[in-house]
Amino acid sequence: MNRLFSRALLAIAALGLCASAATAAYKTEYKLSVVPGATSGWGQTATFFADCVREKTGGRINIKPYFGAQLMAGKQTSELLLVRRGAIDFALASTINWSPQIKELNLTALPFFIANNPDRYKAMDAIEKGKSGKMLEQAIEKTGVKFIGWSENGFRELTTSKGPIEKPEDMKGMKLRVCGTPIFIDIFSTLGANPQAINWSEAVTGFQQGIVDGQENPTNGINVPTKVWQWHKYSTDWHYMIDPLFFTANKKVWDEFSPEDQKIILECAAAAELYGKALSRLGNDQGQALEYLKKIGKTPAITDPQGELEKNGMTVTRYTPEMIKKFYDATKSVRDDWTKKIGPDLVKAAEEDMKNAK
Ligand code: X2X
């Protein structure tokens, strides 16, 4: 009887071992989705993260970035769906591409909401670190994916073949490429422009063919690496909105990692946040971004992105707080309307967080 009992115990133990061995069997490759190309700031941040995880896990976790929205066949706004389904393991996602499904993520796209603060980067950080940031993380996790950490594509500036654009009236009739996210249509229609929803994967061909007069994207992260001066002569630096990026994972994939490996992934995301934000802010802050990139030995070849645009023949209009205020006033109806959709409590929490930004 006793022997039988110990045999049964052994069998149970063996089963247990098998079960834990099965959960510890990691995939040979984890797919990390990235919408733009490898040379964008966003792409470089994804590579930084994947390299960090590979190094710190001794190759146990092999994350491979897939650039150019290829995991979604170009349809950037279907990324969330594919992460939820497990067709994508990880994404370094933009709020803009997930906001059609998660309405709270339109917060940072409220026009001139963040730019109308004394220090727009401090305001952004205050949201992420504050109560409103927690609310955003919860909104993301409510869809069943794991939120891992923030990063940044950057404040979005307008580049056009016609210009310069110095006041709201200059926007009249401008045909502009935007991504297929509803708030963009509202912002540009309200300003009297003619927005066209085109996926990024097709946008560059569109610029080449001159089917639009312009587009909006961050200077450092996208406009410089895509050499936007080939098509557009004016950069309107109005900082009208920002798309924070965030690292996220399929929940089942995340739950299968050991607690030690989860900790490593979180640490790498925290390091990637600092790196990604420094790439995004380089040349636009008081020098902290450059100092940080030097410190980690990753100073990029171009350290003055606006100067790079000018060197390539573009006219850069650097907005003063007064110019921003005019656009802020001109877009009030969009903020009011979208505050209702996003949730007045979240918008209020963000206002409080920004007010407390030191
Ligand atoms: O489509 C865009 O403009 C891009 C690349 O910035 C995003 O995916 C939000």
Side-chain angles (χ1 to χ4, degrees):
M1 191 67 186
N2 239 349
R3 197 179 284 171
L4 208 64
F5 183 62
S6 57
R7 277 224 191 123
L9 268 186
L10 266 178
I12 290 166
L15 267 180
L17 272 180
C18 284
S20 66
T23 51
Y26 291 172
K27 296 191 195 183
T28 49
E29 178 192 293
Y30 291 92
K31 292 182 166 60
L32 167 62
S33 175
V34 186
V35 170
T39 59
S40 62
W42 186 339
Q44 293 182 63
T45 306
T47 300
F48 179 102
F49 170 72
D51 289 349
C52 174
V53 173
R54 195 176 306 106
E55 271 162 37
K56 288 202 176 184
T57 59
R60 251 191 339 275
I61 300 177
N62 174 35
I63 299 175
K64 183 175 171 204
Y66 284 79
F67 301 105
Q70 53 181 298
L71 297 177
M72 293 85 79
K75 288 197 200 79
Q76 58 200 73
T77 49
S78 46
E79 198 174 46
L80 163 61
L81 191 76
L82 296 179
V83 174
R84 285 179 64 185
R85 279 195 195 149
I88 293 173
D89 302 305
F90 287 89
L92 177 51
S94 161
T95 47
I96 293 175
N97 293 324
W98 287 34
S99 59
Q101 293 100 350
I102 306 175
K103 61 185 183 354
E104 289 87 345
L105 294 183
N106 287 292
L107 177 75
T108 57
L110 284 175
F112 302 94
F113 179 64
I114 299 179
N116 198 38
N117 280 277
D119 185 324
R120 63 186 188 278
Y121 291 121
K122 280 190 184 161
M124 181 70 260
D125 289 339
I127 289 179
E128 285 168 358
K129 304 273 175 287
K131 182 179 169 198
S132 53
K134 271 277 151 308
M135 291 166 85
L136 292 177
E137 291 175 25
Q138 282 161 3
I140 293 167
E141 294 214 321
K142 233 169 70 186
T143 67
V145 302
K146 168 71 188 169
F147 174 90
I148 296 173
W150 294 108
S151 186
E152 191 163 289
N153 189 21
F155 282 92
R156 298 177 74 92
E157 318 296 8
L158 186 65
T159 68
T160 47
S161 52
K162 301 175 185 163
I165 293 164
E166 291 166 344
K167 50 189 186 309
E169 299 77 67
D170 297 337
M171 295 291 291
K172 294 260 159 351
M174 282 274 177
K175 200 172 168 191
L176 302 171
R177 175 270 164 178
V178 293
C179 66
T181 300
I183 193 169
F184 286 82
I185 306 289
D186 287 0
I187 296 169
F188 288 99
S189 303
T190 299
L191 288 170
N194 176 9
Q196 306 285 314
I198 305 174
N199 279 315
W200 183 246
S201 55
E202 288 154 23
V204 171
T205 330
F207 304 150
Q208 275 160 4
Q209 294 166 348
I211 60 167
V212 286
D213 303 318
Q215 61 96 37
E216 44 72 62
N217 250 304
T219 303
N220 298 13
I222 303 278
N223 294 341
V224 169
T226 47
K227 300 190 169 60
V228 76
W229 49 82
Q230 301 170 86
W231 317 293
H232 303 152
K233 292 294 160 234
Y234 300 92
S235 181
T236 303
D237 287 14
W238 58 354
H239 329 307
Y240 85 111
M241 58 148 294
I242 181 165
D243 53 327
L245 305 176
F246 51 96
F247 289 97
T248 176
N250 171 272
K251 189 70 174 62
K252 189 164 167 280
V253 165
W254 176 259
D255 288 342
E256 281 171 2
F257 292 131
S258 69
E260 298 74 39
D261 285 338
Q262 288 178 345
K263 192 164 160 271
I264 291 175
I265 293 169
L266 291 171
E267 282 165 8
C268 286
E273 174 181 355
L274 296 178
Y275 176 61
K277 284 188 172 173
L279 289 181
S280 153
R281 300 175 183 193
L282 182 64
N284 287 295
D285 62 2
Q286 277 84 47
Q288 303 93 319
L290 180 60
E291 204 179 298
Y292 179 75
L293 290 165
K294 274 188 186 154
K295 197 178 90 188
I296 63 166
K298 286 191 171 291
T299 315
I302 296 164
T303 55
D304 174 12
Q306 276 77 13
E308 187 67 17
L309 299 182
E310 287 170 329
K311 217 171 75 190
N312 285 286
M314 290 181 81
T315 301
V316 178
T317 308
R318 295 167 171 82
Y319 272 43
T320 61
E322 293 71 35
M323 291 165 91
I324 290 175
K325 180 69 173 43
K326 283 212 178 103
F327 277 89
Y328 181 83
D329 292 342
T331 50
K332 180 177 184 305
S333 63
V334 183
R335 285 193 308 280
D336 289 350
D337 186 26
W338 278 87
T339 294
K340 287 183 215 131
K341 296 182 187 165
I342 292 166
D345 289 352
L346 173 58
V347 177
K348 194 151 172 284
E351 279 166 347
E352 288 294 318
D353 288 335
M354 291 194 291
K355 218 188 292 162
N356 298 331
K358 298 255 163 51

